[in-house]
């Protein structure tokens, strides 16, 4: 059993955080589009960002800030314009955004981190942002997580939020998170934003290491469409307001904190994959028997990202051959006579040999998942074994429907 429990509150569940989300006029739709997360004290900050060579101004800004100082008090996020591929003026807009919110909060601009999402090539509507900041600061609340989660989404159909609590040093410790993402999602981060808050006391070095490992097991293990974005950002704050003993080296307490951080990130990552543009179900791929964990995850990500596998799942076609083909091209050596494939409870391939199975029942399993409750009974399980190794890895994706093409064909029109 997990050594934690779910609690309400999202990113404001941990002690010492407030959040807000408002409509500032950045989105043409008139929906909420400006969010703020604020810590009442300086918090240890860590980040994982896009691997794309084309990076948004906010990503460049955050990387420089975190290299200079591994702490922050505020995260400002605008939705509507990605402020990516906008040249030097886009970076100046980012700097101005940080200074504007810092002045409104009466904190140094060096304590502000930034994130943006929206259409690539469009600068932030600075007039709207400037006029919205006073209202945003006024709206800060210790119950503002839902408003912030609403303000960061773009093509998402639902908001993504989670909060967990455990005990460290006989005191409660909480981690909360919100995220956005629906399309342009692929391992090595994707067009996704995720913000995590924690009230534990942890060293900057350990917090960054924990976040990087959690990202590998969550956001770097999801895929919707094979595209990686320019703005991908995972930012985590730890402000120490739980008053627990400081975690400054690896041990049981650090292990517990990282496990809970990973659970938060995995929940948000699965929510992003399930909310893939046009998706009707979540796909979870588990690979066992690989040489190591990295190899197992690589095979799992390749299967979850296969357009043919995703299309078959949408068509409710239990075509295990596509799963086998994806596993084989993952770039991880294994003996095909060891390959085993299961779809749910249906064993389809054993020791590299095809087996008879009830195709109608397997198709019905896929149909049932598409009608299941969100993140509960809506998951298609694909289990693949490739040998006798100790490596185990998981990846998550979604099916590929007709609506994906429609949504993205009309994205800027």
């Amino acid at each position: 059993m997990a050594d934690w429990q779910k609690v309400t509150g999202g990113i404001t569940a941990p002690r010492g955080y407030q959040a807000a989300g408002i409509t500032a006029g950045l989105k043409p739709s008139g929906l909420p589009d400006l969010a703020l997360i604020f810590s009442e004290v300086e918090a240890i900050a860590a980040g994982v960002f896009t691997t794309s060579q084309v990076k948004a101004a906010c990503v460049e800004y955050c990387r420089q800030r975190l290299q200079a100082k591994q702490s922050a008090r505020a995260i400002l996020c605008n939705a509507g314009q990605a402020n990516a591929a906008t040249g030097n003026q886009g970076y100046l807009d980012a700097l101005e955004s940080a200074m504007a919110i810092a002045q409104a909060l009466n904190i140094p601009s060096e304590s502000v981190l930034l994130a943006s999402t929206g259409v690539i090539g469009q600068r932030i509507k600075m007039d709207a942002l400037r006029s919205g900041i006073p209202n945003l600061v006024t709206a800060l609340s210790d119950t503002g997580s839902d408003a912030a989660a609403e303000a960061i989404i773009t093509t998402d159909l639902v908001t993504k939020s989670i909060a967990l609590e455990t005990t460290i040093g006989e005191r409660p410790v909480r981690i909360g998170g919100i995220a956005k993402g629906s399309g342009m999602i692929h391992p090595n981060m994707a067009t996704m934003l995720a913000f995590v808050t924690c009230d534990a006391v942890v060293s900057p070095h350990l917090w960054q290491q924990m976040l990087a490992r959690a990202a590998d097991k969550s956001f770097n293990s999801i895929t919707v469409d094979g595209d990686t974005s320019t703005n991908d950002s995972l930012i985590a704050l730890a402000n120490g307001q739980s008053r627990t003993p400081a975690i400054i080296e690896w041990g049981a307490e650090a292990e517990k904190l990282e496990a809970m951080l990973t659970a938060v990130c995995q929940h948000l990552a699965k929510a992003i994959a399930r909310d893939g543009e046009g998706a009707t179900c979540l796909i979870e791929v588990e690979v066992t028997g690989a040489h190591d964990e990295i190899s197992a995850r690589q095979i799992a990500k390749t299967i979850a990202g296969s357009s043919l596998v995703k299309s078959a799942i949408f068509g409710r076609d239990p075509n295990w051959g596509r799963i086998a083909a994806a596993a084989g091209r993952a770039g991880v050596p294994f003996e095909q006579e060891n390959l085993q494939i299961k779809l749910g409870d249906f064993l389809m391939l054993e020791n590299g040999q095809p087996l008879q199975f009830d195709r109608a029942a397997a198709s019905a399993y896929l149909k049932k998942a598409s009608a299941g409750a969100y993140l509960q009974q809506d998951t298609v399980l694909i289990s693949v074994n490739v040998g006798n190794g100790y490596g185990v890895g998981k990846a998550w994706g979604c099916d590929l429907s007709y609506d994906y093409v429609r949504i993205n064909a009309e994205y800027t029109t």
Side-chain angles (χ1 to χ4, degrees), residues 23-77:
T23 300
L26 299 168
K27 290 180 182 175
S29 64
L31 294 173
D33 49 24
L34 194 59
L36 177 63
I37 302 167
F38 182 62
S39 173
E40 65 184 25
V41 297
E42 195 77 5
I44 298 303
V48 178
F49 302 96
T50 182
T51 58
S52 173
Q53 293 301 303
V54 181
K55 300 175 180 65
C58 58
V59 171
E60 295 286 8
Y61 169 89
C62 285
R63 281 181 162 168
Q64 292 182 24
R65 282 285 180 262
L66 290 175
Q67 285 176 356
K69 186 179 74 164
Q70 292 177 295
S71 66
R73 287 192 65 182
I75 303 170
L76 176 69
C77 178

Side-chain angles (χ1 to χ4, degrees), residues 72-373:
R73 287 192 65 182
I75 303 170
L76 176 69
C77 178
N78 72 279
Q81 300 85 44
N83 198 24
T86 51
N88 186 61
Q89 187 57 53
Y91 189 77
L92 294 177
D93 289 343
L95 290 177
E96 183 182 347
S97 299
M99 288 188 286
I101 194 66
Q103 288 175 0
L105 293 169
N106 195 28
I107 62 174
S109 61
E110 292 79 10
S111 294
V112 175
L113 296 174
L114 301 174
S116 301
T117 184
V119 180
I120 293 171
Q122 293 187 4
R123 287 173 52 199
I124 301 169
K125 296 180 180 178
M126 292 303 295
D127 288 343
L129 185 139
R130 290 187 203 99
S131 62
I133 281 179
N135 293 333
L136 183 66
V137 173
T138 299
L140 278 172
S141 165
D142 57 9
T143 59
S145 180
D146 288 347
E150 186 72 30
I152 66 175
I153 62 174
T154 50
T155 59
D156 307 56
L157 295 179
V158 296
T159 57
K160 291 93 176 168
S161 178
I162 183 71
L164 301 177
E165 178 182 284
T166 191
T167 301
I168 293 177
E170 300 183 350
R171 293 183 64 86
V173 169
R174 291 181 172 184
I175 298 179
I178 60 173
K180 68 81 56 180
S182 185
M184 201 179 275
I185 302 292
H186 194 61
N188 296 322
M189 304 293 284
T191 203
M192 53 140 286
L193 302 177
F195 308 118
V196 174
T197 57
C198 175
D199 53 17
V201 183
V202 58
S203 73
H205 180 68
L206 272 182
W207 190 233
Q208 180 64 51
Q209 286 185 332
M210 289 178 182
L211 189 67
R213 286 191 290 261
D216 280 341
K217 296 178 181 179
S218 57
F219 300 111
N220 285 344
S221 294
I222 59 174
T223 181
V224 169
D225 50 19
D227 277 295
T228 298
S229 181
T230 55
N231 291 57
D232 320 330
S233 300
L234 165 60
I235 300 172
L237 304 179
N239 68 5
Q241 293 302 286
S242 63
R243 307 301 183 189
T244 52
I247 300 174
I248 58 175
E249 59 185 19
W250 188 251
E253 293 181 343
E255 185 176 352
K256 180 188 286 191
L257 187 67
E258 181 174 329
M260 190 165 72
L261 174 63
T262 301
V264 166
C265 290
Q266 286 184 339
H267 174 90
L268 296 173
K270 288 191 284 185
I272 289 172
R274 174 60 184 90
D275 197 28
E277 290 163 341
T280 69
C281 63
L282 178 71
I283 300 173
E284 179 174 299
V285 182
E286 181 177 47
V287 173
T288 58
H291 176 69
D292 52 32
E293 181 180 330
I294 294 174
S295 299
R297 280 210 305 268
Q298 179 61 31
I299 297 172
K301 289 190 287 187
T302 304
I303 295 169
S306 165
S307 294
L308 290 178
V309 172
K310 291 152 67 69
S311 298
I313 299 300
F314 175 68
R316 319 311 173 205
D317 178 12
N319 188 346
W320 61 264
R322 293 181 174 180
I323 300 171
R329 67 174 174 82
V332 176
F334 63 86
E335 300 297 330
Q336 67 175 9
E337 57 264 28
N338 293 330
L339 187 61
Q340 178 194 83
I341 296 175
K342 290 177 67 178
L343 180 65
D345 293 329
F346 298 92
L347 183 61
M348 299 174 166
L349 189 75
E350 178 77 27
N351 296 323
Q353 298 295 315
L355 301 176
Q356 294 294 322
F357 65 94
D358 189 334
R359 295 188 65 86
S363 181
Y365 166 72
L366 298 176
K367 292 177 182 176
K368 182 178 180 182
S370 69

